[in-house]
Amino acid sequence: MKASTTLSALAALGFTLATPLGKRQDFSTIKYPAGTGENLHEYPPGTGENLHEYPPGTGENLHEYPPGTGENLHEYPPGTGENLPFYPGTSTPNPVFVFTSTYHILATPDQVVNGTTNPVFTGGLPGAQATYDFGINGDLDLICYSIKLTGFRGEYQSPAKTATHVHEAAQGRNGPPSLFERENCMNERKRDWNFGIYHAKPQFDECVPDHIRKGLISAFVDPIRGLSDKDIFPMINGQTGEMLMELPTPNAYRLNRSKFRALIAQGLDIEYSKRLTGVDCPDNSSSVTARFEDGTSVSGDVLVGADGANSKVREFLLGPSTAALKPMGVFGCGALESLPAGISRKIRDINDLYFVTYHPEGPCAFMAIHDVPDPSKPETWKWMFSLTWPDKDSPTPAGPEAIRTNWLFWAEKLAEPFRSAYLAIAPTATIWCDRLAEWPTEPWDNRGGRVTLAGDAAHPMTYHRGQGLNNAILDAAFLCRALHGHRQAGKPTVDALAVYEAEMQERGRAAVISSGENSRMVHDWEQLKQSPVFKIGLAPLQKAAA
């Protein structure tokens, strides 16, 4: 479309204009029509733009402008030209409204589909339309966009306070799915950690677009270090310091959770502060409705509950009793802290990514580098600490003092330099503590293909073999394959979910049971070397799909 058409629409609506932060725009080379005076050193008599005291009647420095001056009006009087694409009486364009590139989308009622798995053209409100106009001025580093809805009648509600996009898909297809996040903003949670992608790397690459794959290194715990095909995971005797086993982990992705979440959220439609309170699947409807704590609700074709180990969606599908987590006889503590330079360097000399120690008396201590702000200053490096120990009967330590008492008790038993590292955590540091729990996956009624689970909601497991994230990635890849394959074949969603759930539920249950068995065995010195992590490392179980 022509720039002038775009500009007129933008000016009528009120545009959003942005320049790079900290950069001042230079208009010194612009030639304005005679009499406007915007780039003259001496302004024409009566305009007063560069005078300390403005002439009577111009009003530029008054809180309320005099009638007829128009400086604070949405539509300026003829001749002022501040928001017109062309200056009055001339063919000279206002440079703010000249674009080197423009993009225009027009949505009309005849393009509206009903949002089902196999979309049907249903048509929208007659006479309504939406436009999205976007302009870039590459010479001035300016962008300008406008979203305009016209001809709409009746009540209309949007959760967005501002809008920067229009959902777009191939004609006759649905737009992208919506994601609802209980946190109030990205990475609101104070607790952070890191994790590894091992056997699920091919499926991860399958799930994400090129720019995410290329940008993944920015979410590594140490982006400068990058990947290595010689990486190993040392497993150490926590009492003597001797090496028990070196587990190969070539080119593993070791990721900082908060950075990783921010990366993969790019381009996604995420609504925050959405805490699920209920799910409705009426028998007389083909849709599912999610209800939130803020009183809002949203309906769609499929609800994928990826809402964590304490999943509300799992509770809806199976009932509170069946869906409840099963506590284990192991406590787990975690912290994120920097260390004195000397200790930090000694720890990283053991392995520059991670290691784990197993102790004959039961404790298991895992450390991993979490962030490296300055490679030359070990005191700036942040470490992730995990400390777990067997205990079937005691109540969960409550409060900072009780948690720290347990931490110090077990830390004292470790060989150097692990002992010094765990004892060096500042008294003011936050240490989290929970009893570990699991939920061996059980089948559920997906309500005619309308509700399913993924990730920790479907198979919450313990972390001593690093399988939680990897299985969640497999879920995402296999669910996408199932939905895409059945859509291509024109089959209903219920068939797609049947395929997905048959594989995922068997794999997930096996992974939960194996991880739980591993967590019990690594805290028992007699069984340690028979545990899954010693037998098969971080690889998937044999029956896991490719």
Side-chain angles (χ1 to χ4, degrees), residues 373-392:
D374 187 338
S376 67
K377 295 181 178 180
E379 67 273 19
T380 68
W381 305 345
K382 187 163 282 190
W383 291 91
M384 181 179 83
F385 294 79
S386 173
L387 182 61
T388 56
W389 65 91
D391 189 326
K392 294 181 180 178

Side-chain angles (χ1 to χ4, degrees), residues 425-449:
I425 287 185
T428 56
T430 300
I431 303 175
W432 292 274
C433 190
D434 299 290
R435 181 175 288 281
L436 272 57
E438 62 185 355
W439 184 76
T441 310
E442 297 186 23
W444 55 79
D445 175 5
N446 63 29
R447 306 305 196 269

Side-chain angles (χ1 to χ4, degrees), residues 197-273:
I197 301 179
Y198 308 111
H199 59 80
K201 288 192 297 181
Q203 288 79 17
F204 175 77
D205 289 343
E206 175 186 334
C207 287
V208 299
D210 287 342
H211 75 278
I212 299 295
R213 282 192 291 272
K214 292 175 181 176
L216 187 63
I217 195 168
S218 68
F220 283 11
V221 292
D222 186 354
I224 295 176
R225 177 192 185 278
L227 296 172
S228 171
D229 58 5
K230 295 181 171 52
D231 279 343
I232 60 166
F233 179 44
M235 298 193 288
I236 301 168
N237 184 322
Q239 187 178 57
T240 66
E242 67 177 319
M243 188 68 67
L244 296 173
M245 184 178 180
E246 292 182 337
L247 196 66
T249 56
N251 297 312
Y253 300 158
R254 194 72 198 177
L255 301 164
N256 178 305
R257 175 184 175 273
S258 59
K259 293 180 181 178
F260 179 61
R261 279 168 54 88
L263 175 70
I264 61 174
Q266 293 178 14
L268 299 181
D269 178 19
I270 304 175
E271 291 189 35
Y272 292 95
S273 304

Side-chain angles (χ1 to χ4, degrees), residues 276-283 285-292 296-301 303 316 447 450-451:
L276 188 71
T277 57
V279 179
D280 298 320
C281 287
D283 293 336
S285 171
S286 61
S287 66
V288 55
T289 298
R291 291 180 280 107
F292 301 105
T296 63
S297 63
V298 63
S299 298
D301 301 309
L303 172 63
F316 162 75
R447 306 305 196 269
R450 287 180 286 176
V451 186

Side-chain angles (χ1 to χ4, degrees), residues 14 55 115 170 212 229 269 359 364 404 457 490 495 500:
I212 299 295
D229 58 5
D269 178 19
H359 195 286
C364 171
R404 189 170 183 84
D495 292 350
Y500 161 69

Side-chain angles (χ1 to χ4, degrees), residues 269-404:
D269 178 19
I270 304 175
E271 291 189 35
Y272 292 95
S273 304
K274 293 297 182 181
R275 297 168 184 84
L276 188 71
T277 57
V279 179
D280 298 320
C281 287
D283 293 336
N284 61 351
S285 171
S286 61
S287 66
V288 55
T289 298
R291 291 180 280 107
F292 301 105
E293 188 178 81
D294 62 4
T296 63
S297 63
V298 63
S299 298
D301 301 309
V302 180
L303 172 63
V304 180
D307 51 338
N310 295 291
S311 170
K312 289 288 187 182
V313 179
R314 185 174 75 238
E315 186 177 304
F316 162 75
L317 289 171
L318 291 154
S321 177
T322 303
L325 291 170
K326 303 181 185 304
M328 297 177 60
V330 178
F331 283 125
C333 284
L336 275 181
E337 276 294 300
S338 298
L339 294 170
I343 299 176
S344 192
R345 172 53 70 190
K346 283 182 181 179
I347 291 293
R348 205 165 189 203
D349 284 344
I350 296 171
N351 186 275
D352 61 354
L353 271 185
Y354 41 36
F355 61 82
V356 65
T357 72
Y358 303 110
H359 195 286
E361 293 186 38
C364 171
F366 171 86
M367 284 184 69
I369 195 72
H370 184 74
D371 197 14
V372 185
D374 187 338
S376 67
K377 295 181 178 180
E379 67 273 19
T380 68
W381 305 345
K382 187 163 282 190
W383 291 91
M384 181 179 83
F385 294 79
S386 173
L387 182 61
T388 56
W389 65 91
D391 189 326
K392 294 181 180 178
D393 303 317
S394 300
T396 302
E401 185 176 344
I403 293 172
R404 189 170 183 84

